[in-house]
Amino acid sequence: MSDLLQLQVHDLEMEVLTGIYSEETHLPQPLRISVTADLTPPERFAPDTPLNASKSYLDLKHAATGALPRDVHFTLIEGIADHICETLFISDARVRRVEVRIVKLAIAEQGESIGITLVRHRR
């Protein structure tokens, strides 16, 4: 079995242009985005292991926030998740798998989580 390192950033709240209904297509929608990236870790993490032996959590946060184009309308939230996955795959060859969970906050009526989870593996 291979060792695995999972980096996680959860519950980022973003406003993103997404939706298929007329009331959704002109204004950004509030989303809650969580990202998990699987990497192959080094043999061991010693106390003095440098940051470049892992990956910065800020890279995951950036993929789900700053790397999302503000002027692009994503018809489906699946497209947003796919963009986040591709951003992480392109940024680091060690990323083996990415899981993105997106919750559409505007459609919750009683605090429930309504959304998707997309899992992509490096091809």
Side-chain angles (χ1 to χ4, degrees):
M1 241 193 202
S2 297
D3 291 341
L4 176 69
L5 172 65
Q6 288 190 323
L7 296 178
Q8 302 172 345
V9 175
H10 291 286
D11 301 327
L12 298 166
E13 292 197 9
M14 291 288 304
E15 298 260 333
V16 182
L17 287 169
T18 185
I20 59 172
Y21 301 110
S22 60
E23 63 271 15
E24 298 176 320
T25 59
H26 61 286
L27 294 173
Q29 287 193 54
L31 304 175
R32 182 175 301 124
I33 302 173
S34 297
V35 181
T36 300
D38 295 354
L39 289 84
T40 303
E43 280 289 316
R44 184 170 181 273
F45 286 103
D48 61 346
T49 301
L51 176 60
N52 66 2
S54 184
K55 184 167 183 59
S56 173
Y57 306 101
L58 294 177
D59 293 341
L60 275 66
K61 183 176 180 179
H62 174 72
T65 58
L68 284 176
R70 300 278 179 234
D71 58 344
V72 173
H73 180 270
F74 292 89
T75 303
L76 302 175
I77 58 174
E78 289 86 337
I80 298 166
D82 202 56
H83 189 278
I84 293 168
C85 291
E86 286 304 310
T87 299
L88 289 169
F89 286 135
I90 289 168
S91 73
D92 194 324
R94 297 172 298 172
V95 175
R96 300 183 344 202
R97 174 187 169 276
V98 178
E99 178 176 320
V100 179
R101 182 170 189 249
I102 300 178
V103 174
K104 293 183 80 171
L105 298 173
I107 63 174
E109 295 175 348
Q110 297 177 358
E112 68 273 22
S113 294
I114 299 170
I116 60 107
T117 299
L118 177 67
V119 177
R120 291 270 192 229
H121 296 265
R122 181 176 292 281
R123 295 180 185 135

